[in-house]
Amino acid sequence: MKRADAISGGVLFAFAAVMLFFIIPSQIETGPSGMVSPRLVPNIMMVALAGLSALLVWKSAANVNADDTAGDPVISRAELWAALKLSLVFAGAIVSFLWGSALIAGVVLVSGSLLALGERRIWVLILMPAALMFFLWLVFYKLLGTAII
């Protein structure tokens, strides 16, 4: 498990570094003078992610045991299969957002994730996306008075 923590921490650290030094500066414009930059919150989140992932790597590297580095695979076949299923769900949600609407994409994302993770109770599959979409509609459209798109 410590090897898996070290690998996932390294991947998260690399992701945060790429976002911090390449993606955010190239995709988010600097704000006008006298205003808070729109890059501030994404930069803060990526610095926090990089710090926490470095802490994860450091803690897992400090506690590596000899029996933990045995011949067992770091990531099992079931975990890879679950990651593939969730990636397909996200791809389906993106496609349904581009060709449909935000509501359809949200339902696909929530219901598809539940199905991919093994949920089979029909009421959970129906009520969870319905409740989430209702509360998002309530907060964004009625309470805040803004549109999602």
Side-chain angles (χ1 to χ4, degrees):
M1 182 57 89
K2 298 299 178 186
R3 286 186 351 196
D5 287 345
I7 290 172
S8 62
V11 168
L12 284 172
F13 187 82
F15 172 76
V18 167
M19 290 292 289
L20 195 58
F21 295 116
F22 297 109
I23 305 297
I24 292 173
S26 70
Q27 296 295 320
I28 301 175
E29 299 294 326
T30 57
S33 62
M35 292 185 63
V36 175
S37 174
R39 295 180 182 177
L40 179 65
V41 174
N43 282 335
I44 290 172
M45 292 299 104
M46 289 303 110
V47 167
L49 180 64
L52 290 173
S53 60
L55 181 65
L56 179 64
V57 169
W58 181 59
K59 288 289 190 184
S60 63
N63 296 326
V64 172
N65 300 340
D67 59 345
D68 191 38
T69 59
D72 295 336
V74 176
I75 301 172
S76 70
R77 185 180 305 263
E79 290 168 337
L80 288 174
W81 181 242
L84 176 67
K85 288 192 290 188
L86 288 175
S87 298
L88 291 174
V89 168
F90 272 90
I94 290 171
V95 167
S96 62
F97 178 75
L98 293 174
W99 291 346
S101 68
L103 178 65
I104 295 170
V107 171
V108 167
L109 185 63
V110 174
S111 297
S113 298
L114 287 171
L115 282 170
L117 294 174
E119 181 61 56
R120 297 295 182 255
R121 293 175 290 182
I122 191 70
W123 289 112
V124 174
L125 291 171
I126 293 172
L127 292 177
M128 188 176 291
L132 285 172
M133 295 307 122
F134 172 73
F135 286 120
L136 283 173
W137 171 80
L138 188 69
V139 167
F140 282 103
Y141 287 96
K142 295 302 177 185
L143 184 65
L144 297 175
T146 61
I148 293 175
I149 297 176

